[in-house]
C-alpha cells in the first residue's frame, strides 16, 4: 500500500538553529513529493515540490527539501529557524501510475515550534 | 486577488439538517477537491472533480455529495448531518487532475459543528 510517514508529531527548535521535519514515503514508480504549511486557523499553503532533476529543492520562506531515493525520504529543512515558522507541516506524495485517479497521499502532519 | 473562497467560515448545525458548504475558485483550475481535517487523522479526501461535469469519491465519501456544474464552483452537501461530521472542511484546486505534478491551492476552511 502507498503511504507517507511523518515520524515526529512535534519538533521543537530554538530560533536561529537549523530545523528538519522528516518525511518518508512508500509508493510505486517515481513519486512527486510536496511540502505544505498550515498556520493556525488557516488553509494549507504550498511550500515546495520535487518532480524530477536536482535532488535539492528550494521553496518559499527559505525552506528546502532533499529527495533521497535510496532512503525514500523527503525531509524539509531550513538553515535558521524563525519564531514565525511555527506551524503545522504536511508532506504529501503522488505516485506516477498511469490512470485518471492519481491523488495525493498525505502525511499526518508535524507541528513545528520555534522557541525564542 | 486570485484564490479560493469558502462559505460559511463556521457553522453550528443540528443533527439531521441539510447543509451545503460553498467553494469558489477564480484560477480556472480543472481539478477541485474537498478534504476534512480532524485531529490525529490529518487530511482526508472526501470527493474530487478532475474537470467540470465529473466527480469522484475520495477516501471518506459517505454522507457527502458534490456537484461540478462549472469550472469555478464545487459545493459539498451534507444531506443529513451527523455529529461525526464535525470537522474543519477545506476546499482545494489544482491546475490539473489529481495526482499530477501541480500543487494544490487551499481555501481558508469551514469549521462545522454538528450537535
Amino acid at each position: 500500500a502507498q503511504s507517507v510517514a511523518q515520524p515526529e508529531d512535534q519538533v521543537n527548535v530554538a530560533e536561529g538553529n537549523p530545523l528538519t521535519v522528516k518525511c518518508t514515503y512508500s509508493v510505486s514508480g517515481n513519486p512527486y513529493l510536496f511540502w505544505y504549511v498550515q498556520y493556525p486557523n488557516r488553509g494549507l499553503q504550498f511550500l515546495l515540490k520535487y518532480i524530477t532533476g536536482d535532488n535539492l529543492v528550494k521553496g518559499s520562506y527559505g525552506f528546502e527539501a532533499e529527495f533521497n531515493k535510496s532512503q525514500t525520504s523527503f525531509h524539509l529543512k531550513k538553515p535558521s529557524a524563525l519564531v514565525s515558522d511555527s506551524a503545522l507541516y504536511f508532506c504529501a506524495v503522488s505516485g506516477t501510475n498511469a490512470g485518471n485517479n492519481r491523488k495525493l497521499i498525505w502525511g499526518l502532519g508535524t507541528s513545528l515550534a520555534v522557541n525564542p | 486577488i486570485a484564490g479560493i473562497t469558502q462559505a460559511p467560515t463556521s457553522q453550528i448545525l443540528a443533527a439531521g439538517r441539510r447543509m451545503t458548504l460553498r467553494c469558489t475558485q477564480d484560477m480556472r483550475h480543472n481539478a477541485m477537491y474537498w478534504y476534512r481535517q480532524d485531529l490525529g487523522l490529518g487530511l482526508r479526501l472526501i470527493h474530487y472533480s478532475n474537470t467540470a461535469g465529473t466527480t469522484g469519491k475520495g477516501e471518506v465519501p459517505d454522507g457527502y455529495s458534490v456537484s461540478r456544474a462549472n469550472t469555478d464552483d464545487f459545493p459539498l452537501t451534507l444531506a443529513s448531518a451527523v455529529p461525526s461530521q464535525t470537522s474543519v472542511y477545506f476546499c482545494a484546486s489544482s491546475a490539473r487532475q489529481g495526482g499530477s505534478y501541480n500543487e494544490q491551492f487551499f481555501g481558508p476552511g469551514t469549521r462545522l459543528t454538528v450537535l
Side-chain angles (χ1 to χ4, degrees), chain B residues 50-65:
Chain B
N50 287 333
T51 190
T54 69
T55 62
K57 293 182 179 180
E59 184 182 354
V60 288
D62 293 344
Y64 305 94
S65 63

Side-chain angles (χ1 to χ4, degrees), chain B residues 5-84:
Chain B
T5 58
Q6 291 184 238
T9 302
S10 65
Q11 182 75 44
I12 298 174
L13 188 67
R17 296 297 295 270
R18 180 184 179 89
M19 176 73 189
T20 295
L21 308 185
R22 300 185 297 278
C23 174
T24 300
Q25 54 104 356
D26 62 1
M27 296 174 283
R28 308 303 293 172
H29 284 168
N30 289 331
M32 296 188 74
Y33 317 84
W34 274 105
Y35 293 93
R36 58 178 292 174
Q37 184 177 28
D38 303 286
L39 192 64
L41 298 176
L43 283 170
R44 293 182 291 171
L45 182 66
I46 304 171
H47 285 287
Y48 65 93
S49 170
N50 287 333
T51 190
T54 69
T55 62
K57 293 182 179 180
E59 184 182 354
V60 288
D62 293 344
Y64 305 94
S65 63
V66 292
S67 61
R68 188 87 184 277
N70 57 60
T71 297
D72 298 344
D73 300 302
F74 191 43
L76 176 74
T77 297
L78 290 66
S80 179
V82 296
S84 61

Side-chain angles (χ1 to χ4, degrees), chain A residues 36-46, chain B residues 6 37 90-91 106-109:
Chain A
Y36 289 80
V37 60
Q38 185 181 27
Y39 298 102
N41 299 312
R42 302 284 294 277
L44 279 71
Q45 297 178 32
F46 168 75
Chain B
Q6 291 184 238
Q37 184 177 28
F90 288 101
C91 180
F106 283 78

Side-chain angles (χ1 to χ4, degrees), chain A residues 34 36 49 51 104, chain B residues 33 94-96 100-104:
Chain A
F34 302 81
Y36 289 80
K49 64 183 177 184
I51 303 302
L104 285 180
Chain B
Y33 317 84
S94 67
R96 292 184 61 177
S100 78
Y101 50 78
N102 290 301
E103 59 270 25
Q104 295 184 14

